[in-house]
Amino acid sequence: MDIQASRPADPSFSEATRTFAKIGLLSFGGPAGQIALMHRILVDEKRWLDEPRFLHALNYCMLLPGPEAMQLATYAGWLLHGVRGGLVAGLLFVLPGAIVITLLSALYLAVGDVPLVQGLLFGLKAAVLAVVLEALIKVSKRALKDWTMVVLAAAAFIAIAFLKLPFPLIIAAAALIGVFLRKTNSRAGAKAKAAAADAHMQIEMPEWARPNWRRFLVTLAVWLAIWFVPLFALHATLGGANVFSAEASFFSTMATVTFGGAYAVLAYVAQQAVEVYGWLRPDEMLTGLGLAETTPGPLILVLVFVGFLGGARLSGLDALTGGVLGAAVTLWFTFVPCFLWIFVGAPYVETVRNVRWLASALSAVTAAVVGIIANLAVWFALHVLFAHVGEWPIGPFVLPAPDLTTVDLAAAAIAVAAGIALIRYHQNMIAVLVAAGLAGMIWTLS
């Protein structure tokens, strides 16, 4: 059977652009909903990609640091129209949400002290606790397949929550442990993988998607320059202590270690942005996450909120100019690496996919991510439910010590109600967040 004959011809560039613009504007609901939307449009409706190719692209993007849904859109656009197709698809997936969250950040900075706005954000922050818990449950079911993965998740939680070890160190240690604990697959599993690989290779690939060492080196050089020349320029002209230079360096690091998506890295980002750099307050990280949940695009766009506040407060410029520049710097250094991973690595996906030690390492990283998300849930809960949270050092451990007399029962009630709606009854996340925001406004004004 001719595989290519079972689907229509590749779309024109303008048609693909319109379709990816539609995907970008409708990409609410986190990565699961965004991936489902792309599958429905690209595979079921348009039939531009068949099921094996779509799943193959998804598997590769799941192995990468960064937002997998955005990288899947980039991969799909690249398959259809090469680098220009990937650029358009990726940018259209990110820019609508980036523009919205930048506007919301400016609005927050301007009117955040208005009681009505405070009430809205109060409700959103409480509901975000339920969103993070729901994400923890979903990731746990997928990642914790045996007791070794459970132990890794617990160890990662202890390392980041109580030992305050750096996030990149935990990820690197988990990868090394995964390599060490690698188990050989069964013969049947190996045969099934080989058969799947053979089936995939029967699909005719466009010329630009075939491995080529010259193209690899040129693409690598170009995207490394796009990434690092602005980084070095900022440091050279503004100095390393400048907020824009610090944001460029920090978010470049985040772009290389964000395995497991936004939730996995938010606790580390919050810790650094709040305690080390002073870009925002602990409760404001929850505000940003709530805003990012209600906008299209990848959840990692919450970092744009962080960068906006940092630039607005510490750049020495007027708040709006500094904030917009901070948002732009954050956006650039968060997403440029995503294009690098796709354009450089995609032609060699089959090789990467069949390296068993790498798959084992990434499975261990995914398990560690569960522990890191659990820490995120605990960190957020403490700062939403209690007005004051201290620390209690015990040897090498640092335990949180909330002041129980400062508990916020209204925030707890909203969080519990949102959790029941999301986890027990699987209600629409946007609807739950809107309801929580309204509840917060009513409580604040009453």
PDB file of all heavy atoms in Angstrom, residues 395-429:
ATOM      1  N   GLY A 395      19.937  20.044  60.898  1.00  0.00           N
ATOM      2  CA  GLY A 395      21.105  19.492  60.225  1.00  0.00           C
ATOM      3  C   GLY A 395      21.187  20.033  58.809  1.00  0.00           C
ATOM      4  O   GLY A 395      21.087  21.241  58.584  1.00  0.00           O
ATOM      5  N   PRO A 396      21.327  19.120  57.830  1.00  0.00           N
ATOM      6  CA  PRO A 396      21.405  19.581  56.434  1.00  0.00           C
ATOM      7  C   PRO A 396      20.039  19.913  55.834  1.00  0.00           C
ATOM      8  O   PRO A 396      19.960  20.434  54.729  1.00  0.00           O
ATOM      9  CB  PRO A 396      22.032  18.386  55.706  1.00  0.00           C
ATOM     10  CG  PRO A 396      21.590  17.202  56.504  1.00  0.00           C
ATOM     11  CD  PRO A 396      21.549  17.673  57.943  1.00  0.00           C
ATOM     12  N   PHE A 397      18.965  19.615  56.563  1.00  0.00           N
ATOM     13  CA  PHE A 397      17.615  19.812  56.043  1.00  0.00           C
ATOM     14  C   PHE A 397      17.064  21.168  56.487  1.00  0.00           C
ATOM     15  O   PHE A 397      17.378  21.670  57.567  1.00  0.00           O
ATOM     16  CB  PHE A 397      16.679  18.697  56.528  1.00  0.00           C
ATOM     17  CG  PHE A 397      17.093  17.327  56.095  1.00  0.00           C
ATOM     18  CD1 PHE A 397      17.827  16.513  56.954  1.00  0.00           C
ATOM     19  CD2 PHE A 397      16.773  16.848  54.836  1.00  0.00           C
ATOM     20  CE1 PHE A 397      18.220  15.239  56.559  1.00  0.00           C
ATOM     21  CE2 PHE A 397      17.164  15.585  54.430  1.00  0.00           C
ATOM     22  CZ  PHE A 397      17.890  14.782  55.297  1.00  0.00           C
ATOM     23  N   VAL A 398      16.231  21.736  55.619  1.00  0.00           N
ATOM     24  CA  VAL A 398      15.515  22.972  55.934  1.00  0.00           C
ATOM     25  C   VAL A 398      14.030  22.708  55.711  1.00  0.00           C
ATOM     26  O   VAL A 398      13.579  22.554  54.569  1.00  0.00           O
ATOM     27  CB  VAL A 398      15.990  24.143  55.054  1.00  0.00           C
ATOM     28  CG1 VAL A 398      15.214  25.408  55.417  1.00  0.00           C
ATOM     29  CG2 VAL A 398      17.476  24.370  55.215  1.00  0.00           C
ATOM     30  N   LEU A 399      13.276  22.627  56.813  1.00  0.00           N
ATOM     31  CA  LEU A 399      11.854  22.301  56.728  1.00  0.00           C
ATOM     32  C   LEU A 399      11.017  23.579  56.768  1.00  0.00           C
ATOM     33  O   LEU A 399      11.368  24.539  57.466  1.00  0.00           O
ATOM     34  CB  LEU A 399      11.449  21.392  57.890  1.00  0.00           C
ATOM     35  CG  LEU A 399      12.247  20.098  58.063  1.00  0.00           C
ATOM     36  CD1 LEU A 399      11.675  19.280  59.214  1.00  0.00           C
ATOM     37  CD2 LEU A 399      12.243  19.280  56.780  1.00  0.00           C
ATOM     38  N   PRO A 400       9.910  23.613  56.022  1.00  0.00           N
ATOM     39  CA  PRO A 400       9.025  24.773  56.101  1.00  0.00           C
ATOM     40  C   PRO A 400       8.307  24.794  57.445  1.00  0.00           C
ATOM     41  O   PRO A 400       7.966  23.739  57.994  1.00  0.00           O
ATOM     42  CB  PRO A 400       8.051  24.547  54.938  1.00  0.00           C
ATOM     43  CG  PRO A 400       8.054  23.070  54.719  1.00  0.00           C
ATOM     44  CD  PRO A 400       9.440  22.601  55.059  1.00  0.00           C
ATOM     45  N   ALA A 401       8.073  25.995  57.949  1.00  0.00           N
ATOM     46  CA  ALA A 401       7.419  26.138  59.247  1.00  0.00           C
ATOM     47  C   ALA A 401       6.323  27.196  59.142  1.00  0.00           C
ATOM     48  O   ALA A 401       6.534  28.363  59.498  1.00  0.00           O
ATOM     49  CB  ALA A 401       8.438  26.514  60.321  1.00  0.00           C
ATOM     50  N   PRO A 402       5.149  26.826  58.635  1.00  0.00           N
ATOM     51  CA  PRO A 402       4.069  27.807  58.513  1.00  0.00           C
ATOM     52  C   PRO A 402       3.516  28.201  59.878  1.00  0.00           C
ATOM     53  O   PRO A 402       3.445  27.373  60.803  1.00  0.00           O
ATOM     54  CB  PRO A 402       3.017  27.056  57.683  1.00  0.00           C
ATOM     55  CG  PRO A 402       3.273  25.608  57.962  1.00  0.00           C
ATOM     56  CD  PRO A 402       4.754  25.489  58.144  1.00  0.00           C
ATOM     57  N   ASP A 403       3.140  29.447  60.009  1.00  0.00           N
ATOM     58  CA  ASP A 403       2.484  29.934  61.221  1.00  0.00           C
ATOM     59  C   ASP A 403       1.009  29.555  61.135  1.00  0.00           C
ATOM     60  O   ASP A 403       0.247  30.136  60.348  1.00  0.00           O
ATOM     61  CB  ASP A 403       2.653  31.454  61.312  1.00  0.00           C
ATOM     62  CG  ASP A 403       2.063  32.023  62.598  1.00  0.00           C
ATOM     63  OD1 ASP A 403       1.333  31.291  63.304  1.00  0.00           O
ATOM     64  OD2 ASP A 403       2.314  33.207  62.884  1.00  0.00           O
ATOM     65  N   LEU A 404       0.603  28.569  61.926  1.00  0.00           N
ATOM     66  CA  LEU A 404      -0.747  28.023  61.815  1.00  0.00           C
ATOM     67  C   LEU A 404      -1.821  29.037  62.170  1.00  0.00           C
ATOM     68  O   LEU A 404      -2.982  28.877  61.773  1.00  0.00           O
ATOM     69  CB  LEU A 404      -0.878  26.783  62.713  1.00  0.00           C
ATOM     70  CG  LEU A 404       0.069  25.621  62.388  1.00  0.00           C
ATOM     71  CD1 LEU A 404      -0.194  24.439  63.321  1.00  0.00           C
ATOM     72  CD2 LEU A 404      -0.077  25.186  60.935  1.00  0.00           C
ATOM     73  N   THR A 405      -1.449  30.082  62.882  1.00  0.00           N
ATOM     74  CA  THR A 405      -2.447  31.098  63.238  1.00  0.00           C
ATOM     75  C   THR A 405      -2.769  32.028  62.075  1.00  0.00           C
ATOM     76  O   THR A 405      -3.708  32.823  62.158  1.00  0.00           O
ATOM     77  CB  THR A 405      -1.944  31.952  64.420  1.00  0.00           C
ATOM     78  OG1 THR A 405      -0.761  32.661  64.030  1.00  0.00           O
ATOM     79  CG2 THR A 405      -1.626  31.071  65.627  1.00  0.00           C
ATOM     80  N   THR A 406      -1.999  31.919  60.986  1.00  0.00           N
ATOM     81  CA  THR A 406      -2.220  32.809  59.830  1.00  0.00           C
ATOM     82  C   THR A 406      -2.911  32.086  58.673  1.00  0.00           C
ATOM     83  O   THR A 406      -2.885  32.566  57.543  1.00  0.00           O
ATOM     84  CB  THR A 406      -0.886  33.395  59.336  1.00  0.00           C
ATOM     85  OG1 THR A 406      -0.038  32.326  58.854  1.00  0.00           O
ATOM     86  CG2 THR A 406      -0.170  34.120  60.453  1.00  0.00           C
ATOM     87  N   VAL A 407      -3.518  30.924  58.937  1.00  0.00           N
ATOM     88  CA  VAL A 407      -4.163  30.159  57.876  1.00  0.00           C
ATOM     89  C   VAL A 407      -5.310  30.964  57.261  1.00  0.00           C
ATOM     90  O   VAL A 407      -6.042  31.668  57.961  1.00  0.00           O
ATOM     91  CB  VAL A 407      -4.665  28.801  58.403  1.00  0.00           C
ATOM     92  CG1 VAL A 407      -5.753  28.990  59.452  1.00  0.00           C
ATOM     93  CG2 VAL A 407      -5.172  27.923  57.255  1.00  0.00           C
ATOM     94  N   ASP A 408      -5.461  30.874  55.948  1.00  0.00           N
ATOM     95  CA  ASP A 408      -6.521  31.579  55.214  1.00  0.00           C
ATOM     96  C   ASP A 408      -7.582  30.564  54.819  1.00  0.00           C
ATOM     97  O   ASP A 408      -7.430  29.820  53.852  1.00  0.00           O
ATOM     98  CB  ASP A 408      -5.927  32.253  53.970  1.00  0.00           C
ATOM     99  CG  ASP A 408      -6.896  33.224  53.312  1.00  0.00           C
ATOM    100  OD1 ASP A 408      -8.113  32.972  53.377  1.00  0.00           O
ATOM    101  OD2 ASP A 408      -6.429  34.226  52.737  1.00  0.00           O
ATOM    102  N   LEU A 409      -8.677  30.526  55.569  1.00  0.00           N
ATOM    103  CA  LEU A 409      -9.716  29.520  55.342  1.00  0.00           C
ATOM    104  C   LEU A 409     -10.458  29.757  54.024  1.00  0.00           C
ATOM    105  O   LEU A 409     -10.903  28.798  53.382  1.00  0.00           O
ATOM    106  CB  LEU A 409     -10.702  29.520  56.513  1.00  0.00           C
ATOM    107  CG  LEU A 409     -10.109  29.109  57.874  1.00  0.00           C
ATOM    108  CD1 LEU A 409     -11.173  29.168  58.967  1.00  0.00           C
ATOM    109  CD2 LEU A 409      -9.523  27.702  57.780  1.00  0.00           C
ATOM    110  N   ALA A 410     -10.590  30.999  53.609  1.00  0.00           N
ATOM    111  CA  ALA A 410     -11.272  31.284  52.339  1.00  0.00           C
ATOM    112  C   ALA A 410     -10.468  30.720  51.168  1.00  0.00           C
ATOM    113  O   ALA A 410     -11.027  30.107  50.252  1.00  0.00           O
ATOM    114  CB  ALA A 410     -11.469  32.784  52.178  1.00  0.00           C
ATOM    115  N   ALA A 411      -9.141  30.923  51.193  1.00  0.00           N
ATOM    116  CA  ALA A 411      -8.294  30.369  50.134  1.00  0.00           C
ATOM    117  C   ALA A 411      -8.366  28.848  50.131  1.00  0.00           C
ATOM    118  O   ALA A 411      -8.425  28.218  49.068  1.00  0.00           O
ATOM    119  CB  ALA A 411      -6.846  30.831  50.321  1.00  0.00           C
ATOM    120  N   ALA A 412      -8.389  28.252  51.319  1.00  0.00           N
ATOM    121  CA  ALA A 412      -8.484  26.792  51.404  1.00  0.00           C
ATOM    122  C   ALA A 412      -9.799  26.299  50.813  1.00  0.00           C
ATOM    123  O   ALA A 412      -9.834  25.289  50.092  1.00  0.00           O
ATOM    124  CB  ALA A 412      -8.353  26.348  52.858  1.00  0.00           C
ATOM    125  N   ALA A 413     -10.895  27.003  51.106  1.00  0.00           N
ATOM    126  CA  ALA A 413     -12.203  26.595  50.588  1.00  0.00           C
ATOM    127  C   ALA A 413     -12.237  26.666  49.067  1.00  0.00           C
ATOM    128  O   ALA A 413     -12.742  25.751  48.388  1.00  0.00           O
ATOM    129  CB  ALA A 413     -13.298  27.474  51.197  1.00  0.00           C
ATOM    130  N   ILE A 414     -11.705  27.746  48.494  1.00  0.00           N
ATOM    131  CA  ILE A 414     -11.687  27.882  47.030  1.00  0.00           C
ATOM    132  C   ILE A 414     -10.811  26.801  46.410  1.00  0.00           C
ATOM    133  O   ILE A 414     -11.165  26.202  45.389  1.00  0.00           O
ATOM    134  CB  ILE A 414     -11.200  29.287  46.631  1.00  0.00           C
ATOM    135  CG1 ILE A 414     -12.214  30.349  47.075  1.00  0.00           C
ATOM    136  CG2 ILE A 414     -10.984  29.370  45.112  1.00  0.00           C
ATOM    137  CD1 ILE A 414     -11.753  31.769  46.849  1.00  0.00           C
ATOM    138  N   ALA A 415      -9.654  26.530  47.024  1.00  0.00           N
ATOM    139  CA  ALA A 415      -8.745  25.506  46.492  1.00  0.00           C
ATOM    140  C   ALA A 415      -9.396  24.126  46.516  1.00  0.00           C
ATOM    141  O   ALA A 415      -9.294  23.363  45.549  1.00  0.00           O
ATOM    142  CB  ALA A 415      -7.446  25.495  47.297  1.00  0.00           C
ATOM    143  N   VAL A 416     -10.069  23.787  47.613  1.00  0.00           N
ATOM    144  CA  VAL A 416     -10.734  22.485  47.715  1.00  0.00           C
ATOM    145  C   VAL A 416     -11.850  22.369  46.687  1.00  0.00           C
ATOM    146  O   VAL A 416     -11.996  21.337  46.010  1.00  0.00           O
ATOM    147  CB  VAL A 416     -11.274  22.270  49.148  1.00  0.00           C
ATOM    148  CG1 VAL A 416     -12.193  21.056  49.203  1.00  0.00           C
ATOM    149  CG2 VAL A 416     -10.120  22.101  50.128  1.00  0.00           C
ATOM    150  N   ALA A 417     -12.653  23.421  46.542  1.00  0.00           N
ATOM    151  CA  ALA A 417     -13.747  23.381  45.563  1.00  0.00           C
ATOM    152  C   ALA A 417     -13.202  23.226  44.149  1.00  0.00           C
ATOM    153  O   ALA A 417     -13.738  22.447  43.342  1.00  0.00           O
ATOM    154  CB  ALA A 417     -14.580  24.655  45.680  1.00  0.00           C
ATOM    155  N   ALA A 418     -12.124  23.956  43.830  1.00  0.00           N
ATOM    156  CA  ALA A 418     -11.517  23.830  42.496  1.00  0.00           C
ATOM    157  C   ALA A 418     -10.961  22.435  42.292  1.00  0.00           C
ATOM    158  O   ALA A 418     -11.069  21.863  41.192  1.00  0.00           O
ATOM    159  CB  ALA A 418     -10.415  24.877  42.334  1.00  0.00           C
ATOM    160  N   GLY A 419     -10.347  21.862  43.331  1.00  0.00           N
ATOM    161  CA  GLY A 419      -9.810  20.509  43.224  1.00  0.00           C
ATOM    162  C   GLY A 419     -10.894  19.484  42.950  1.00  0.00           C
ATOM    163  O   GLY A 419     -10.726  18.585  42.121  1.00  0.00           O
ATOM    164  N   ILE A 420     -12.010  19.594  43.641  1.00  0.00           N
ATOM    165  CA  ILE A 420     -13.129  18.668  43.412  1.00  0.00           C
ATOM    166  C   ILE A 420     -13.655  18.800  41.982  1.00  0.00           C
ATOM    167  O   ILE A 420     -13.923  17.805  41.297  1.00  0.00           O
ATOM    168  CB  ILE A 420     -14.246  18.927  44.440  1.00  0.00           C
ATOM    169  CG1 ILE A 420     -13.764  18.555  45.850  1.00  0.00           C
ATOM    170  CG2 ILE A 420     -15.509  18.136  44.075  1.00  0.00           C
ATOM    171  CD1 ILE A 420     -14.728  18.963  46.952  1.00  0.00           C
ATOM    172  N   ALA A 421     -13.796  20.047  41.522  1.00  0.00           N
ATOM    173  CA  ALA A 421     -14.314  20.274  40.169  1.00  0.00           C
ATOM    174  C   ALA A 421     -13.377  19.711  39.099  1.00  0.00           C
ATOM    175  O   ALA A 421     -13.824  19.084  38.133  1.00  0.00           O
ATOM    176  CB  ALA A 421     -14.530  21.770  39.947  1.00  0.00           C
ATOM    177  N   LEU A 422     -12.063  19.913  39.280  1.00  0.00           N
ATOM    178  CA  LEU A 422     -11.099  19.483  38.261  1.00  0.00           C
ATOM    179  C   LEU A 422     -10.808  17.990  38.330  1.00  0.00           C
ATOM    180  O   LEU A 422     -10.806  17.292  37.306  1.00  0.00           O
ATOM    181  CB  LEU A 422      -9.795  20.269  38.420  1.00  0.00           C
ATOM    182  CG  LEU A 422      -9.790  21.727  37.964  1.00  0.00           C
ATOM    183  CD1 LEU A 422      -8.482  22.400  38.379  1.00  0.00           C
ATOM    184  CD2 LEU A 422      -9.965  21.828  36.452  1.00  0.00           C
ATOM    185  N   ILE A 423     -10.522  17.491  39.513  1.00  0.00           N
ATOM    186  CA  ILE A 423     -10.015  16.124  39.661  1.00  0.00           C
ATOM    187  C   ILE A 423     -11.147  15.109  39.747  1.00  0.00           C
ATOM    188  O   ILE A 423     -11.063  14.033  39.147  1.00  0.00           O
ATOM    189  CB  ILE A 423      -9.106  16.043  40.907  1.00  0.00           C
ATOM    190  CG1 ILE A 423      -7.918  16.994  40.738  1.00  0.00           C
ATOM    191  CG2 ILE A 423      -8.619  14.617  41.137  1.00  0.00           C
ATOM    192  CD1 ILE A 423      -7.107  17.200  41.998  1.00  0.00           C
ATOM    193  N   ARG A 424     -12.203  15.437  40.479  1.00  0.00           N
ATOM    194  CA  ARG A 424     -13.298  14.470  40.638  1.00  0.00           C
ATOM    195  C   ARG A 424     -14.279  14.530  39.475  1.00  0.00           C
ATOM    196  O   ARG A 424     -14.695  13.500  38.947  1.00  0.00           O
ATOM    197  CB  ARG A 424     -14.029  14.749  41.954  1.00  0.00           C
ATOM    198  CG  ARG A 424     -15.290  13.895  42.173  1.00  0.00           C
ATOM    199  CD  ARG A 424     -14.942  12.410  42.266  1.00  0.00           C
ATOM    200  NE  ARG A 424     -16.136  11.601  42.485  1.00  0.00           N
ATOM    201  CZ  ARG A 424     -16.918  11.142  41.520  1.00  0.00           C
ATOM    202  NH1 ARG A 424     -16.623  11.439  40.233  1.00  0.00           N
ATOM    203  NH2 ARG A 424     -17.968  10.416  41.785  1.00  0.00           N
ATOM    204  N   TYR A 425     -14.620  15.741  39.031  1.00  0.00           N
ATOM    205  CA  TYR A 425     -15.663  15.878  38.015  1.00  0.00           C
ATOM    206  C   TYR A 425     -15.125  16.306  36.646  1.00  0.00           C
ATOM    207  O   TYR A 425     -15.903  16.455  35.699  1.00  0.00           O
ATOM    208  CB  TYR A 425     -16.737  16.868  38.492  1.00  0.00           C
ATOM    209  CG  TYR A 425     -17.501  16.353  39.683  1.00  0.00           C
ATOM    210  CD1 TYR A 425     -17.250  16.840  40.959  1.00  0.00           C
ATOM    211  CD2 TYR A 425     -18.459  15.354  39.537  1.00  0.00           C
ATOM    212  CE1 TYR A 425     -17.944  16.361  42.066  1.00  0.00           C
ATOM    213  CE2 TYR A 425     -19.167  14.863  40.632  1.00  0.00           C
ATOM    214  CZ  TYR A 425     -18.900  15.374  41.890  1.00  0.00           C
ATOM    215  OH  TYR A 425     -19.588  14.875  42.982  1.00  0.00           O
ATOM    216  N   HIS A 426     -13.819  16.511  36.519  1.00  0.00           N
ATOM    217  CA  HIS A 426     -13.166  16.795  35.233  1.00  0.00           C
ATOM    218  C   HIS A 426     -13.819  17.970  34.505  1.00  0.00           C
ATOM    219  O   HIS A 426     -14.067  17.916  33.297  1.00  0.00           O
ATOM    220  CB  HIS A 426     -13.187  15.546  34.341  1.00  0.00           C
ATOM    221  CG  HIS A 426     -12.625  14.331  35.011  1.00  0.00           C
ATOM    222  ND1 HIS A 426     -11.280  14.192  35.309  1.00  0.00           N
ATOM    223  CD2 HIS A 426     -13.223  13.197  35.482  1.00  0.00           C
ATOM    224  CE1 HIS A 426     -11.075  13.039  35.907  1.00  0.00           C
ATOM    225  NE2 HIS A 426     -12.232  12.425  36.034  1.00  0.00           N
ATOM    226  N   GLN A 427     -14.079  19.031  35.246  1.00  0.00           N
ATOM    227  CA  GLN A 427     -14.672  20.220  34.643  1.00  0.00           C
ATOM    228  C   GLN A 427     -13.628  20.985  33.830  1.00  0.00           C
ATOM    229  O   GLN A 427     -12.421  20.827  34.005  1.00  0.00           O
ATOM    230  CB  GLN A 427     -15.248  21.124  35.737  1.00  0.00           C
ATOM    231  CG  GLN A 427     -16.397  20.504  36.501  1.00  0.00           C
ATOM    232  CD  GLN A 427     -17.589  20.183  35.615  1.00  0.00           C
ATOM    233  OE1 GLN A 427     -18.102  21.060  34.918  1.00  0.00           O
ATOM    234  NE2 GLN A 427     -18.030  18.932  35.614  1.00  0.00           N
ATOM    235  N   ASN A 428     -14.113  21.835  32.925  1.00  0.00           N
ATOM    236  CA  ASN A 428     -13.229  22.642  32.090  1.00  0.00           C
ATOM    237  C   ASN A 428     -12.379  23.567  32.963  1.00  0.00           C
ATOM    238  O   ASN A 428     -12.907  24.270  33.830  1.00  0.00           O
ATOM    239  CB  ASN A 428     -14.060  23.470  31.101  1.00  0.00           C
ATOM    240  CG  ASN A 428     -13.201  24.356  30.231  1.00  0.00           C
ATOM    241  OD1 ASN A 428     -12.926  25.499  30.577  1.00  0.00           O
ATOM    242  ND2 ASN A 428     -12.785  23.835  29.086  1.00  0.00           N
ATOM    243  N   MET A 429     -11.065  23.554  32.727  1.00  0.00           N
ATOM    244  CA  MET A 429     -10.152  24.304  33.583  1.00  0.00           C
ATOM    245  C   MET A 429     -10.415  25.801  33.527  1.00  0.00           C
ATOM    246  O   MET A 429     -10.385  26.490  34.561  1.00  0.00           O
ATOM    247  CB  MET A 429      -8.707  24.022  33.192  1.00  0.00           C
ATOM    248  CG  MET A 429      -7.690  24.695  34.097  1.00  0.00           C
ATOM    249  SD  MET A 429      -5.994  24.379  33.582  1.00  0.00           S
ATOM    250  CE  MET A 429      -5.988  25.208  31.986  1.00  0.00           C
TER     251      MET A 429
END
